[in-house]
Amino acid sequence: MMALLVVGLFLLFIAVGIPIAFSLGLSALIYLFVAGVPLTVIPQTMFAGLDSFVMLAIPAFILAGNLMNAGGITNRIIDFANALVGHIRGGLALTNVASSLGFGGISGTALSDTASIGSVMIPAMKKQGYGAGFSAAVTSISSTVGPMLPPSLPMIIIGTLASISIGDLFLAGAIPGVLLSVGFLIVTYLISVKRNYPKGEKQSAGVIAKSFLGAFWALLMVVIILWGILGGYFTPTEAAIVCVIYAFIVGKFVYKELKFNEIPQILMSTLRTTASIILLVALANTFGWILVAEGVPLLIADSILSVTENPILVTLLIIVLLLIVGMFMETIAALVILFPVLLPVAESIGMDPIHFGVVMVLALMIGLSTPPVGVCLFVASSFAKVRITTTVKELIPYFAIAVIVLVIVAFIPSLSLFLPGLFE
């Protein structure tokens, strides 16, 4: 009964428009009052959720992404992607998807991808005759690829929660991320051909090489992260600090677009983003503690396994649950609350924790482009100056391919575990 109270309050607060972090905190506070539990539980559980050295990687990676973005990274990745695929029918839309694949490996967050790529690509696509809803849809859905690639903030959260190698998680998301991008590219091309969207001129090998050299220093950041972590040269947190230094040097002295007077604004933006994430993780940990105290994880596990113990059906039930949760809950909050709950269920059917982590992140990423709380959907629609419903209609074929890729990744573990296995 008390579990229903806290979950019901949480859903009610979200429904009336209270931010998710505060919805978590308020519902937890009311529960503690009603249950007669000392309020000291709140600061204790909040601190416990943040008391990890790895968590320091989050603000550092966010700062590195902001520095690279201010230093000219976005335009160079777009130029390189456009040189590769711009000559194909629907070239600018394909460039949008390809740019997200490159930029996602820098920012580590879908929202940063949507804002950075969208601010450049959506106006350009509309100017060339692409529909506003289609432009927003491509930008929104392609940004979900970013968190599948290093440095992925959701993967860092999972690694912290379950003491799983973050380097292995980074590698595990690579193939599914590329597979997702390929699916989006195919859908984008087919729609572009059907609607006869424009195509650009084919670039010479020299132009492609020049654009690659322009984006090289940006893309090298991903290599540095993986090489350093997997090679044992530094921890994920130390890798984040190295990336900050690297991003500053590249933006200031290589691209020469980063200005000293921009740094205070970059730091403030990083602080705001970090504060929102940290508060969310801390309060989600308190909420999760209450769920555990009320036996909700066991209840959910028993409920799923009581329906069926067939591994295929259990996997499908988990996928459906995650897709529904992703529609209503912010990704990091969902990870902190549900990963510890669902991991035992996944392990009971023989699913590897790393594999399950990739499946969970991929499922929740789809929710970033779905109403009612899809933040990437809202941001992209805002840039395109189009109604949310119009963008959602354009997203339907992308949702279909994303779910297909999710099911494939869920039932073919080697797609996630092959690369980590090479470095054991």
Side-chain angles (χ1 to χ4, degrees), residues 3-287:
L4 291 176
L5 171 66
V6 70
V7 174
L9 287 171
F10 171 62
L11 296 176
L12 174 63
F13 291 143
I14 290 179
V16 298
I18 298 176
I20 290 181
F22 295 110
S23 297
L24 290 167
L26 285 173
S27 55
L29 181 63
I30 294 174
Y31 165 85
L32 295 178
F33 269 122
V34 174
V37 179
L39 297 184
T40 52
V41 165
I42 294 180
Q44 289 172 353
T45 52
M46 289 178 68
F47 178 78
L50 302 176
D51 187 21
S52 171
F53 182 67
V54 176
M55 292 291 289
L56 292 175
I58 293 177
F61 276 129
I62 293 172
L63 176 57
N66 287 341
L67 286 170
M68 293 293 278
N69 191 29
I73 173 64
T74 305
N75 290 334
R76 284 172 173 80
I77 288 181
I78 290 175
D79 289 344
F80 178 49
N82 191 46
L84 290 176
V85 299
H87 63 283
I88 305 173
R89 178 69 61 188
L92 207 55
L94 296 173
T95 298
N96 195 329
V97 178
S99 298
S100 293
L101 181 62
F103 187 77
I106 303 300
S107 68
T109 63
L111 186 57
S112 295
D113 188 351
T114 304
S116 300
I117 300 295
S119 63
V120 177
M121 293 301 299
I122 290 178
M125 289 178 66
K126 290 174 64 178
K127 187 176 181 179
Q128 284 200 12
Y130 293 84
F134 178 72
S135 302
V138 172
T139 304
S140 174
I141 197 68
S142 63
S143 66
T144 60
V145 175
M148 301 301 297
L149 307 171
S152 165
L153 297 189
M155 295 298 188
I156 294 173
I157 296 293
I158 287 177
T160 304
L161 289 172
S163 299
I164 301 173
S165 168
I166 293 176
D168 286 346
L169 286 168
F170 282 172
L171 285 175
I175 293 178
V178 172
L179 186 62
L180 191 63
S181 289
V182 171
F184 292 157
L185 286 169
I186 292 173
V187 172
T188 301
Y189 174 73
L190 293 176
I191 293 175
S192 298
V193 170
K194 182 179 179 180
R195 299 179 182 177
N196 198 32
Y197 282 140
K199 61 180 179 179
E201 296 182 0
K202 189 171 184 179
Q203 303 295 331
S204 65
V207 172
I208 295 176
K210 183 178 179 180
S211 63
F212 170 74
L213 290 176
F216 171 78
W217 293 102
L219 300 176
L220 185 60
M221 178 185 280
V222 180
V223 178
I224 291 174
I225 294 169
L226 291 177
W227 171 78
I229 295 175
L230 298 175
Y233 298 102
F234 35 70
T235 66
T237 303
E238 292 166 345
I241 303 303
V242 169
C243 284
V244 170
I245 298 171
Y246 176 85
F248 175 77
I249 293 174
V250 170
K252 180 63 181 175
F253 301 107
V254 178
Y255 293 157
K256 297 181 180 179
E257 292 190 18
L258 180 63
K259 305 294 189 296
F260 279 116
N261 59 6
E262 295 177 324
I263 292 179
Q265 183 179 352
I266 292 171
L267 291 175
M268 285 303 300
S269 175
T270 301
L271 287 172
R272 284 193 294 268
T273 304
T274 300
S276 63
I277 292 175
I278 293 300
L279 179 62
L280 186 59
V281 170
L283 291 173
N285 193 68
T286 299
F287 190 85

Side-chain angles (χ1 to χ4, degrees), residues 252-373:
K252 180 63 181 175
F253 301 107
V254 178
Y255 293 157
K256 297 181 180 179
E257 292 190 18
L258 180 63
K259 305 294 189 296
F260 279 116
N261 59 6
E262 295 177 324
I263 292 179
Q265 183 179 352
I266 292 171
L267 291 175
M268 285 303 300
S269 175
T270 301
L271 287 172
R272 284 193 294 268
T273 304
T274 300
S276 63
I277 292 175
I278 293 300
L279 179 62
L280 186 59
V281 170
L283 291 173
N285 193 68
T286 299
F287 190 85
W289 179 89
I290 292 173
L291 295 183
V292 172
E294 289 295 325
V296 173
L298 290 176
L299 178 63
I300 292 177
D302 291 342
S303 299
I304 293 176
L305 295 176
S306 67
V307 174
T308 178
E309 293 186 5
N310 184 299
I312 295 176
L313 294 179
V314 171
T315 302
L316 290 174
L317 286 173
I318 292 175
I319 288 174
V320 171
L321 174 63
L322 291 174
L323 288 174
I324 293 173
V325 169
M327 294 173 64
F328 296 95
M329 190 179 296
E330 198 276 341
T331 303
I332 293 178
L335 285 174
V336 175
I337 294 171
L338 290 180
F339 189 80
V341 172
L342 296 177
L343 181 59
V345 180
E347 290 182 319
S348 71
I349 59 172
M351 187 176 288
D352 185 273
I354 294 176
H355 176 214
F356 177 64
V358 171
V359 171
M360 188 165 186
V361 170
L362 179 53
L364 294 175
M365 285 303 104
I366 297 173
L368 293 176
S369 293
T370 58
V373 293

